[in-house]
Amino acid sequence: MVVRVKKALVFLLIITVLSAGCLGGTQTVTTTVTEIQNHTLTETVTETHTEVKVIEPGINVTELTENLSLCVSKLSELNSTLAEEEGELSSLKAKYQSCLIQQALGNEAGFEILLDNEYYYEVLNTINNAGESIYVMMFSMKYDPADSFDWANDLIRALAEAEKRGVSVHVLLEDSSDINQAAYDYLKANGVDVSFDSPETTLHAKVVVIDGKTVFLGSHNWSESALYWNHEVSIKIVSEDLAQSLINYFWSIR
């Protein structure tokens, strides 16, 4: 009987120990899994954050703006060069056509035909080389300083420069056109003898007389449209008698 009781107590003790051990093992496993799960979650978040940084593109707005400005500037230069080359080509065509007309009239004609924008180059060159006097009678003289490519501006400024170097410059403009006011103001401010004709009449002449011998007559006004775009015809005549007659006419209607 005693032996049976002892065996029973030993069996009960073993069961108790095993039970305690199993419970402890279960707690340990649960803790380990929890730590592993926590660690795994932390690493996953970190890796996701790192991937976002790697694929994020880098854009230098300042550099892009500078490149755009440079492209716009180069495009503007190319447009300006193209416009100048078109003007030179047109001038060559006009010179060729005037040469044909001159040959048809004969070499003793005593004048030169100026077609379209050929007039601009010839008048500008003659004004720049003037040494004594310049007389201009013009129906329309449009000064537009805001336009950097306006041939009328070049002719008007050439008059002011001639006055500054000692050439006697006199200009008569049609008074009924508001277009002439800006040119009048500019020339007056630069010391040029400029005035409007009588309001009772219309000055429709387009005449330039330089150094008392070179005369330009024709259809060209001093405006961008007449000098660059329109089909216009004028003539250049070298004649002291004609020059003096037109100078006298200038003073008679002044």
mmCIF file of all heavy atoms in Angstrom, residues 43-94:
data_model
loop_
_atom_site.group_PDB
_atom_site.id
_atom_site.type_symbol
_atom_site.label_atom_id
_atom_site.label_comp_id
_atom_site.label_asym_id
_atom_site.label_seq_id
_atom_site.Cartn_x
_atom_site.Cartn_y
_atom_site.Cartn_z
ATOM 1 N N GLU A 43 11.873 46.120 -40.158
ATOM 2 C CA GLU A 43 12.705 46.055 -41.350
ATOM 3 C C GLU A 43 11.895 46.367 -42.607
ATOM 4 O O GLU A 43 12.366 47.038 -43.508
ATOM 5 C CB GLU A 43 13.315 44.654 -41.472
ATOM 6 C CG GLU A 43 14.416 44.404 -40.451
ATOM 7 C CD GLU A 43 15.044 43.023 -40.636
ATOM 8 O OE1 GLU A 43 14.454 42.203 -41.373
ATOM 9 O OE2 GLU A 43 16.100 42.799 -40.043
ATOM 10 N N THR A 44 10.658 45.910 -42.646
ATOM 11 C CA THR A 44 9.803 46.149 -43.820
ATOM 12 C C THR A 44 9.544 47.644 -44.012
ATOM 13 O O THR A 44 9.642 48.180 -45.102
ATOM 14 C CB THR A 44 8.467 45.401 -43.678
ATOM 15 O OG1 THR A 44 8.717 44.019 -43.532
ATOM 16 C CG2 THR A 44 7.605 45.655 -44.913
ATOM 17 N N VAL A 45 9.245 48.353 -42.949
ATOM 18 C CA VAL A 45 8.998 49.791 -43.018
ATOM 19 C C VAL A 45 10.242 50.535 -43.480
ATOM 20 O O VAL A 45 10.213 51.407 -44.313
ATOM 21 C CB VAL A 45 8.526 50.321 -41.645
ATOM 22 C CG1 VAL A 45 8.464 51.844 -41.672
ATOM 23 C CG2 VAL A 45 7.177 49.737 -41.296
ATOM 24 N N THR A 46 11.406 50.120 -42.925
ATOM 25 C CA THR A 46 12.666 50.768 -43.289
ATOM 26 C C THR A 46 12.986 50.576 -44.767
ATOM 27 O O THR A 46 13.354 51.502 -45.465
ATOM 28 C CB THR A 46 13.812 50.195 -42.439
ATOM 29 O OG1 THR A 46 13.507 50.390 -41.070
ATOM 30 C CG2 THR A 46 15.134 50.899 -42.783
ATOM 31 N N GLU A 47 12.825 49.378 -45.281
ATOM 32 C CA GLU A 47 13.094 49.094 -46.672
ATOM 33 C C GLU A 47 12.161 49.883 -47.601
ATOM 34 O O GLU A 47 12.580 50.411 -48.614
ATOM 35 C CB GLU A 47 12.946 47.594 -46.953
ATOM 36 C CG GLU A 47 14.072 46.774 -46.316
ATOM 37 C CD GLU A 47 13.855 45.274 -46.519
ATOM 38 O OE1 GLU A 47 12.808 44.936 -47.088
ATOM 39 O OE2 GLU A 47 14.704 44.485 -46.107
ATOM 40 N N THR A 48 10.893 50.013 -47.238
ATOM 41 C CA THR A 48 9.924 50.761 -48.049
ATOM 42 C C THR A 48 10.325 52.235 -48.131
ATOM 43 O O THR A 48 10.304 52.846 -49.181
ATOM 44 C CB THR A 48 8.510 50.642 -47.449
ATOM 45 O OG1 THR A 48 8.158 49.275 -47.395
ATOM 46 C CG2 THR A 48 7.505 51.405 -48.320
ATOM 47 N N HIS A 49 10.766 52.808 -47.006
ATOM 48 C CA HIS A 49 11.189 54.210 -46.967
ATOM 49 C C HIS A 49 12.424 54.440 -47.844
ATOM 50 O O HIS A 49 12.526 55.412 -48.559
ATOM 51 C CB HIS A 49 11.470 54.599 -45.517
ATOM 52 C CG HIS A 49 11.915 56.028 -45.369
ATOM 53 N ND1 HIS A 49 11.093 57.098 -45.616
ATOM 54 C CD2 HIS A 49 13.129 56.541 -45.022
ATOM 55 C CE1 HIS A 49 11.747 58.218 -45.410
ATOM 56 N NE2 HIS A 49 12.998 57.897 -45.063
ATOM 57 N N THR A 50 13.338 53.503 -47.810
ATOM 58 C CA THR A 50 14.559 53.612 -48.605
ATOM 59 C C THR A 50 14.257 53.562 -50.094
ATOM 60 O O THR A 50 14.797 54.321 -50.876
ATOM 61 C CB THR A 50 15.522 52.474 -48.236
ATOM 62 O OG1 THR A 50 15.803 52.536 -46.845
ATOM 63 C CG2 THR A 50 16.827 52.595 -49.035
ATOM 64 N N GLU A 51 13.354 52.710 -50.511
ATOM 65 C CA GLU A 51 12.989 52.591 -51.914
ATOM 66 C C GLU A 51 12.379 53.893 -52.448
ATOM 67 O O GLU A 51 12.652 54.307 -53.550
ATOM 68 C CB GLU A 51 12.008 51.437 -52.116
ATOM 69 C CG GLU A 51 12.662 50.073 -51.934
ATOM 70 C CD GLU A 51 11.651 48.951 -52.045
ATOM 71 O OE1 GLU A 51 10.462 49.277 -52.231
ATOM 72 O OE2 GLU A 51 12.039 47.787 -51.931
ATOM 73 N N VAL A 52 11.569 54.590 -51.658
ATOM 74 C CA VAL A 52 10.964 55.865 -52.074
ATOM 75 C C VAL A 52 12.042 56.907 -52.330
ATOM 76 O O VAL A 52 12.004 57.650 -53.290
ATOM 77 C CB VAL A 52 9.967 56.357 -51.008
ATOM 78 C CG1 VAL A 52 9.508 57.770 -51.338
ATOM 79 C CG2 VAL A 52 8.785 55.422 -50.928
ATOM 80 N N LYS A 53 13.077 56.943 -51.518
ATOM 81 C CA LYS A 53 14.156 57.905 -51.696
ATOM 82 C C LYS A 53 14.951 57.634 -52.968
ATOM 83 O O LYS A 53 15.358 58.543 -53.657
ATOM 84 C CB LYS A 53 15.096 57.869 -50.488
ATOM 85 C CG LYS A 53 14.529 58.524 -49.251
ATOM 86 C CD LYS A 53 15.563 58.566 -48.147
ATOM 87 C CE LYS A 53 15.022 59.294 -46.921
ATOM 88 N NZ LYS A 53 16.021 59.345 -45.836
ATOM 89 N N VAL A 54 15.134 56.390 -53.302
ATOM 90 C CA VAL A 54 15.938 56.029 -54.466
ATOM 91 C C VAL A 54 15.249 56.426 -55.771
ATOM 92 O O VAL A 54 15.866 56.945 -56.673
ATOM 93 C CB VAL A 54 16.225 54.512 -54.462
ATOM 94 C CG1 VAL A 54 16.856 54.094 -55.795
ATOM 95 C CG2 VAL A 54 17.154 54.175 -53.307
ATOM 96 N N ILE A 55 13.957 56.226 -55.884
ATOM 97 C CA ILE A 55 13.256 56.483 -57.136
ATOM 98 C C ILE A 55 12.803 57.933 -57.270
ATOM 99 O O ILE A 55 12.290 58.327 -58.294
ATOM 100 C CB ILE A 55 12.027 55.552 -57.280
ATOM 101 C CG1 ILE A 55 10.992 55.871 -56.197
ATOM 102 C CG2 ILE A 55 12.437 54.111 -57.270
ATOM 103 C CD1 ILE A 55 9.703 55.097 -56.359
ATOM 104 N N GLU A 56 12.987 58.745 -56.235
ATOM 105 C CA GLU A 56 12.557 60.144 -56.298
ATOM 106 C C GLU A 56 13.447 60.916 -57.271
ATOM 107 O O GLU A 56 14.658 60.966 -57.111
ATOM 108 C CB GLU A 56 12.636 60.777 -54.914
ATOM 109 C CG GLU A 56 12.132 62.213 -54.887
ATOM 110 C CD GLU A 56 12.188 62.781 -53.490
ATOM 111 O OE1 GLU A 56 11.221 62.601 -52.740
ATOM 112 O OE2 GLU A 56 13.222 63.370 -53.147
ATOM 113 N N PRO A 57 12.884 61.543 -58.365
ATOM 114 C CA PRO A 57 13.714 62.242 -59.361
ATOM 115 C C PRO A 57 14.229 63.572 -58.833
ATOM 116 O O PRO A 57 13.574 64.235 -58.036
ATOM 117 C CB PRO A 57 12.733 62.467 -60.520
ATOM 118 C CG PRO A 57 11.392 62.543 -59.847
ATOM 119 C CD PRO A 57 11.465 61.585 -58.680
ATOM 120 N N GLY A 58 15.428 63.982 -59.311
ATOM 121 C CA GLY A 58 15.999 65.269 -58.907
ATOM 122 C C GLY A 58 15.859 66.278 -60.036
ATOM 123 O O GLY A 58 16.378 66.061 -61.123
ATOM 124 N N ILE A 59 15.147 67.420 -59.854
ATOM 125 C CA ILE A 59 14.903 68.430 -60.888
ATOM 126 C C ILE A 59 15.515 69.753 -60.446
ATOM 127 O O ILE A 59 15.170 70.283 -59.391
ATOM 128 C CB ILE A 59 13.394 68.615 -61.137
ATOM 129 C CG1 ILE A 59 12.765 67.297 -61.599
ATOM 130 C CG2 ILE A 59 13.166 69.717 -62.171
ATOM 131 C CD1 ILE A 59 11.272 67.371 -61.774
ATOM 132 N N ASN A 60 16.437 70.286 -61.272
ATOM 133 C CA ASN A 60 17.088 71.563 -60.982
ATOM 134 C C ASN A 60 16.349 72.664 -61.751
ATOM 135 O O ASN A 60 16.586 72.901 -62.936
ATOM 136 C CB ASN A 60 18.556 71.512 -61.411
ATOM 137 C CG ASN A 60 19.335 72.700 -60.893
ATOM 138 O OD1 ASN A 60 18.795 73.795 -60.774
ATOM 139 N ND2 ASN A 60 20.589 72.481 -60.585
ATOM 140 N N VAL A 61 15.416 73.317 -61.072
ATOM 141 C CA VAL A 61 14.579 74.335 -61.724
ATOM 142 C C VAL A 61 15.413 75.509 -62.211
ATOM 143 O O VAL A 61 15.189 76.039 -63.303
ATOM 144 C CB VAL A 61 13.486 74.825 -60.749
ATOM 145 C CG1 VAL A 61 12.660 75.922 -61.401
ATOM 146 C CG2 VAL A 61 12.595 73.667 -60.329
ATOM 147 N N THR A 62 16.406 75.911 -61.451
ATOM 148 C CA THR A 62 17.257 77.041 -61.842
ATOM 149 C C THR A 62 17.992 76.756 -63.143
ATOM 150 O O THR A 62 18.058 77.596 -64.040
ATOM 151 C CB THR A 62 18.279 77.340 -60.731
ATOM 152 O OG1 THR A 62 17.574 77.640 -59.516
ATOM 153 C CG2 THR A 62 19.158 78.527 -61.120
ATOM 154 N N GLU A 63 18.532 75.552 -63.252
ATOM 155 C CA GLU A 63 19.261 75.176 -64.465
ATOM 156 C C GLU A 63 18.347 75.147 -65.683
ATOM 157 O O GLU A 63 18.710 75.605 -66.767
ATOM 158 C CB GLU A 63 19.914 73.814 -64.271
ATOM 159 C CG GLU A 63 20.785 73.379 -65.444
ATOM 160 C CD GLU A 63 21.483 72.059 -65.193
ATOM 161 O OE1 GLU A 63 21.401 71.552 -64.053
ATOM 162 O OE2 GLU A 63 22.097 71.528 -66.130
ATOM 163 N N LEU A 64 17.138 74.607 -65.503
ATOM 164 C CA LEU A 64 16.181 74.571 -66.602
ATOM 165 C C LEU A 64 15.803 75.984 -67.059
ATOM 166 O O LEU A 64 15.689 76.257 -68.252
ATOM 167 C CB LEU A 64 14.928 73.799 -66.181
ATOM 168 C CG LEU A 64 15.081 72.284 -66.014
ATOM 169 C CD1 LEU A 64 13.780 71.681 -65.513
ATOM 170 C CD2 LEU A 64 15.484 71.636 -67.333
ATOM 171 N N THR A 65 15.609 76.891 -66.111
ATOM 172 C CA THR A 65 15.265 78.278 -66.437
ATOM 173 C C THR A 65 16.380 78.967 -67.208
ATOM 174 O O THR A 65 16.144 79.676 -68.186
ATOM 175 C CB THR A 65 14.965 79.067 -65.147
ATOM 176 O OG1 THR A 65 13.911 78.418 -64.434
ATOM 177 C CG2 THR A 65 14.545 80.495 -65.471
ATOM 178 N N GLU A 66 17.622 78.738 -66.786
ATOM 179 C CA GLU A 66 18.771 79.334 -67.477
ATOM 180 C C GLU A 66 18.888 78.807 -68.903
ATOM 181 O O GLU A 66 19.163 79.556 -69.841
ATOM 182 C CB GLU A 66 20.051 79.054 -66.687
ATOM 183 C CG GLU A 66 20.118 79.784 -65.350
ATOM 184 C CD GLU A 66 21.356 79.407 -64.553
ATOM 185 O OE1 GLU A 66 22.075 78.472 -64.995
ATOM 186 O OE2 GLU A 66 21.609 80.029 -63.508
ATOM 187 N N ASN A 67 18.677 77.502 -69.068
ATOM 188 C CA ASN A 67 18.752 76.906 -70.404
ATOM 189 C C ASN A 67 17.661 77.460 -71.316
ATOM 190 O O ASN A 67 17.895 77.717 -72.503
ATOM 191 C CB ASN A 67 18.619 75.381 -70.311
ATOM 192 C CG ASN A 67 19.850 74.738 -69.691
ATOM 193 O OD1 ASN A 67 20.932 75.335 -69.696
ATOM 194 N ND2 ASN A 67 19.711 73.550 -69.157
ATOM 195 N N LEU A 68 16.466 77.653 -70.764
ATOM 196 C CA LEU A 68 15.364 78.206 -71.543
ATOM 197 C C LEU A 68 15.663 79.636 -71.988
ATOM 198 O O LEU A 68 15.428 80.010 -73.132
ATOM 199 C CB LEU A 68 14.071 78.166 -70.727
ATOM 200 C CG LEU A 68 12.817 78.734 -71.411
ATOM 201 C CD1 LEU A 68 12.526 77.959 -72.692
ATOM 202 C CD2 LEU A 68 11.620 78.670 -70.468
ATOM 203 N N SER A 69 16.204 80.430 -71.069
ATOM 204 C CA SER A 69 16.549 81.819 -71.404
ATOM 205 C C SER A 69 17.612 81.868 -72.497
ATOM 206 O O SER A 69 17.567 82.707 -73.393
ATOM 207 C CB SER A 69 17.045 82.550 -70.152
ATOM 208 O OG SER A 69 16.038 82.595 -69.157
ATOM 209 N N LEU A 70 18.586 80.957 -72.411
ATOM 210 C CA LEU A 70 19.643 80.903 -73.413
ATOM 211 C C LEU A 70 19.078 80.552 -74.786
ATOM 212 O O LEU A 70 19.460 81.142 -75.800
ATOM 213 C CB LEU A 70 20.693 79.873 -72.996
ATOM 214 C CG LEU A 70 21.902 79.706 -73.931
ATOM 215 C CD1 LEU A 70 22.667 81.012 -74.042
ATOM 216 C CD2 LEU A 70 22.822 78.605 -73.423
ATOM 217 N N CYS A 71 18.149 79.599 -74.814
ATOM 218 C CA CYS A 71 17.520 79.202 -76.086
ATOM 219 C C CYS A 71 16.725 80.356 -76.695
ATOM 220 O O CYS A 71 16.771 80.592 -77.903
ATOM 221 C CB CYS A 71 16.602 77.996 -75.860
ATOM 222 S SG CYS A 71 17.482 76.457 -75.531
ATOM 223 N N VAL A 72 15.989 81.088 -75.869
ATOM 224 C CA VAL A 72 15.206 82.236 -76.352
ATOM 225 C C VAL A 72 16.123 83.312 -76.918
ATOM 226 O O VAL A 72 15.843 83.915 -77.960
ATOM 227 C CB VAL A 72 14.337 82.803 -75.210
ATOM 228 C CG1 VAL A 72 13.687 84.110 -75.645
ATOM 229 C CG2 VAL A 72 13.263 81.798 -74.809
ATOM 230 N N SER A 73 17.254 83.546 -76.233
ATOM 231 C CA SER A 73 18.205 84.556 -76.694
ATOM 232 C C SER A 73 18.810 84.175 -78.043
ATOM 233 O O SER A 73 18.919 85.007 -78.948
ATOM 234 C CB SER A 73 19.316 84.726 -75.654
ATOM 235 O OG SER A 73 20.289 85.638 -76.103
ATOM 236 N N LYS A 74 19.182 82.909 -78.194
ATOM 237 C CA LYS A 74 19.754 82.457 -79.461
ATOM 238 C C LYS A 74 18.732 82.527 -80.586
ATOM 239 O O LYS A 74 19.060 82.879 -81.716
ATOM 240 C CB LYS A 74 20.278 81.027 -79.303
ATOM 241 C CG LYS A 74 21.540 80.925 -78.448
ATOM 242 C CD LYS A 74 22.058 79.509 -78.406
ATOM 243 C CE LYS A 74 23.362 79.434 -77.615
ATOM 244 N NZ LYS A 74 23.891 78.056 -77.556
ATOM 245 N N LEU A 75 17.486 82.199 -80.273
ATOM 246 C CA LEU A 75 16.429 82.274 -81.280
ATOM 247 C C LEU A 75 16.225 83.704 -81.747
ATOM 248 O O LEU A 75 16.036 83.975 -82.942
ATOM 249 C CB LEU A 75 15.121 81.715 -80.707
ATOM 250 C CG LEU A 75 13.906 81.729 -81.656
ATOM 251 C CD1 LEU A 75 14.204 80.893 -82.896
ATOM 252 C CD2 LEU A 75 12.672 81.199 -80.943
ATOM 253 N N SER A 76 16.289 84.652 -80.817
ATOM 254 C CA SER A 76 16.139 86.068 -81.169
ATOM 255 C C SER A 76 17.279 86.525 -82.075
ATOM 256 O O SER A 76 17.066 87.262 -83.046
ATOM 257 C CB SER A 76 16.109 86.914 -79.895
ATOM 258 O OG SER A 76 16.023 88.285 -80.198
ATOM 259 N N GLU A 77 18.496 86.080 -81.775
ATOM 260 C CA GLU A 77 19.648 86.435 -82.611
ATOM 261 C C GLU A 77 19.499 85.865 -84.023
ATOM 262 O O GLU A 77 19.799 86.533 -85.016
ATOM 263 C CB GLU A 77 20.937 85.910 -81.971
ATOM 264 C CG GLU A 77 21.304 86.612 -80.671
ATOM 265 C CD GLU A 77 22.548 86.017 -80.034
ATOM 266 O OE1 GLU A 77 23.135 85.077 -80.640
ATOM 267 O OE2 GLU A 77 22.934 86.458 -78.951
ATOM 268 N N LEU A 78 19.031 84.625 -84.112
ATOM 269 C CA LEU A 78 18.837 84.002 -85.425
ATOM 270 C C LEU A 78 17.775 84.730 -86.236
ATOM 271 O O LEU A 78 17.930 84.936 -87.448
ATOM 272 C CB LEU A 78 18.443 82.527 -85.245
ATOM 273 C CG LEU A 78 19.546 81.594 -84.733
ATOM 274 C CD1 LEU A 78 18.976 80.207 -84.467
ATOM 275 C CD2 LEU A 78 20.681 81.492 -85.741
ATOM 276 N N ASN A 79 16.698 85.145 -85.575
ATOM 277 C CA ASN A 79 15.639 85.889 -86.270
ATOM 278 C C ASN A 79 16.158 87.219 -86.786
ATOM 279 O O ASN A 79 15.826 87.650 -87.905
ATOM 280 C CB ASN A 79 14.451 86.119 -85.332
ATOM 281 C CG ASN A 79 13.643 84.860 -85.095
ATOM 282 O OD1 ASN A 79 13.666 83.949 -85.917
ATOM 283 N ND2 ASN A 79 12.942 84.786 -83.981
ATOM 284 N N SER A 80 16.971 87.896 -85.975
ATOM 285 C CA SER A 80 17.533 89.180 -86.382
ATOM 286 C C SER A 80 18.470 89.005 -87.577
ATOM 287 O O SER A 80 18.429 89.782 -88.543
ATOM 288 C CB SER A 80 18.292 89.816 -85.217
ATOM 289 O OG SER A 80 18.897 91.024 -85.603
ATOM 290 N N THR A 81 19.309 87.963 -87.517
ATOM 291 C CA THR A 81 20.230 87.686 -88.626
ATOM 292 C C THR A 81 19.464 87.357 -89.900
ATOM 293 O O THR A 81 19.807 87.818 -90.995
ATOM 294 C CB THR A 81 21.155 86.510 -88.270
ATOM 295 O OG1 THR A 81 21.895 86.837 -87.090
ATOM 296 C CG2 THR A 81 22.132 86.225 -89.415
ATOM 297 N N LEU A 82 18.407 86.567 -89.761
ATOM 298 C CA LEU A 82 17.589 86.206 -90.915
ATOM 299 C C LEU A 82 16.949 87.431 -91.543
ATOM 300 O O LEU A 82 16.914 87.570 -92.775
ATOM 301 C CB LEU A 82 16.508 85.209 -90.490
ATOM 302 C CG LEU A 82 15.539 84.741 -91.591
ATOM 303 C CD1 LEU A 82 16.312 84.043 -92.700
ATOM 304 C CD2 LEU A 82 14.483 83.821 -91.012
ATOM 305 N N ALA A 83 16.445 88.337 -90.718
ATOM 306 C CA ALA A 83 15.821 89.554 -91.237
ATOM 307 C C ALA A 83 16.836 90.406 -91.996
ATOM 308 O O ALA A 83 16.531 90.969 -93.054
ATOM 309 C CB ALA A 83 15.203 90.350 -90.088
ATOM 310 N N GLU A 84 18.064 90.509 -91.463
ATOM 311 C CA GLU A 84 19.096 91.291 -92.138
ATOM 312 C C GLU A 84 19.475 90.668 -93.482
ATOM 313 O O GLU A 84 19.655 91.368 -94.481
ATOM 314 C CB GLU A 84 20.336 91.393 -91.243
ATOM 315 C CG GLU A 84 20.116 92.246 -89.994
ATOM 316 C CD GLU A 84 21.339 92.257 -89.102
ATOM 317 O OE1 GLU A 84 22.349 91.609 -89.464
ATOM 318 O OE2 GLU A 84 21.294 92.909 -88.049
ATOM 319 N N GLU A 85 19.584 89.338 -93.503
ATOM 320 C CA GLU A 85 19.938 88.665 -94.749
ATOM 321 C C GLU A 85 18.827 88.802 -95.786
ATOM 322 O O GLU A 85 19.101 88.945 -96.983
ATOM 323 C CB GLU A 85 20.237 87.190 -94.476
ATOM 324 C CG GLU A 85 21.526 86.977 -93.671
ATOM 325 C CD GLU A 85 21.799 85.524 -93.395
ATOM 326 O OE1 GLU A 85 20.910 84.694 -93.683
ATOM 327 O OE2 GLU A 85 22.904 85.213 -92.914
ATOM 328 N N GLU A 86 17.584 88.761 -95.336
ATOM 329 C CA GLU A 86 16.469 88.964 -96.258
ATOM 330 C C GLU A 86 16.509 90.370 -96.850
ATOM 331 O O GLU A 86 16.232 90.574 -98.036
ATOM 332 C CB GLU A 86 15.138 88.734 -95.532
ATOM 333 C CG GLU A 86 14.852 87.278 -95.219
ATOM 334 C CD GLU A 86 13.547 87.106 -94.468
ATOM 335 O OE1 GLU A 86 13.006 88.122 -93.981
ATOM 336 O OE2 GLU A 86 13.076 85.961 -94.365
ATOM 337 N N GLY A 87 16.849 91.353 -96.006
ATOM 338 C CA GLY A 87 16.956 92.726 -96.486
ATOM 339 C C GLY A 87 18.062 92.881 -97.519
ATOM 340 O O GLY A 87 17.896 93.560 -98.534
ATOM 341 N N GLU A 88 19.219 92.243 -97.265
ATOM 342 C CA GLU A 88 20.331 92.327 -98.208
ATOM 343 C C GLU A 88 19.980 91.649 -99.533
ATOM 344 O O GLU A 88 20.333 92.146 -100.610
ATOM 345 C CB GLU A 88 21.575 91.681 -97.592
ATOM 346 C CG GLU A 88 22.138 92.464 -96.406
ATOM 347 C CD GLU A 88 23.312 91.759 -95.762
ATOM 348 O OE1 GLU A 88 23.677 90.662 -96.253
ATOM 349 O OE2 GLU A 88 23.862 92.284 -94.783
ATOM 350 N N LEU A 89 19.299 90.500 -99.451
ATOM 351 C CA LEU A 89 18.891 89.800 -100.666
ATOM 352 C C LEU A 89 17.916 90.645 -101.480
ATOM 353 O O LEU A 89 18.023 90.738 -102.709
ATOM 354 C CB LEU A 89 18.252 88.459 -100.307
ATOM 355 C CG LEU A 89 17.731 87.618 -101.481
ATOM 356 C CD1 LEU A 89 18.871 87.288 -102.435
ATOM 357 C CD2 LEU A 89 17.062 86.349 -100.970
ATOM 358 N N SER A 90 16.969 91.261 -100.784
ATOM 359 C CA SER A 90 16.010 92.122 -101.470
ATOM 360 C C SER A 90 16.708 93.303 -102.132
ATOM 361 O O SER A 90 16.352 93.723 -103.238
ATOM 362 C CB SER A 90 14.948 92.610 -100.481
ATOM 363 O OG SER A 90 14.020 93.448 -101.116
ATOM 364 N N SER A 91 17.728 93.831 -101.449
ATOM 365 C CA SER A 91 18.479 94.957 -102.011
ATOM 366 C C SER A 91 19.227 94.542 -103.271
ATOM 367 O O SER A 91 19.269 95.289 -104.257
ATOM 368 C CB SER A 91 19.465 95.484 -100.971
ATOM 369 O OG SER A 91 20.271 96.504 -101.517
ATOM 370 N N LEU A 92 19.809 93.350 -103.267
ATOM 371 C CA LEU A 92 20.523 92.857 -104.443
ATOM 372 C C LEU A 92 19.569 92.692 -105.631
ATOM 373 O O LEU A 92 19.909 93.017 -106.769
ATOM 374 C CB LEU A 92 21.206 91.527 -104.118
ATOM 375 C CG LEU A 92 22.426 91.608 -103.192
ATOM 376 C CD1 LEU A 92 22.921 90.206 -102.848
ATOM 377 C CD2 LEU A 92 23.552 92.410 -103.845
ATOM 378 N N LYS A 93 18.366 92.196 -105.337
ATOM 379 C CA LYS A 93 17.370 92.043 -106.396
ATOM 380 C C LYS A 93 16.994 93.405 -106.983
ATOM 381 O O LYS A 93 16.863 93.563 -108.198
ATOM 382 C CB LYS A 93 16.129 91.338 -105.854
ATOM 383 C CG LYS A 93 16.332 89.873 -105.520
ATOM 384 C CD LYS A 93 15.041 89.261 -104.988
ATOM 385 C CE LYS A 93 15.228 87.784 -104.668
ATOM 386 N NZ LYS A 93 13.976 87.184 -104.113
ATOM 387 N N ALA A 94 16.820 94.390 -106.084
ATOM 388 C CA ALA A 94 16.450 95.735 -106.541
ATOM 389 C C ALA A 94 17.567 96.349 -107.382
ATOM 390 O O ALA A 94 17.310 97.005 -108.396
ATOM 391 C CB ALA A 94 16.137 96.628 -105.347
#
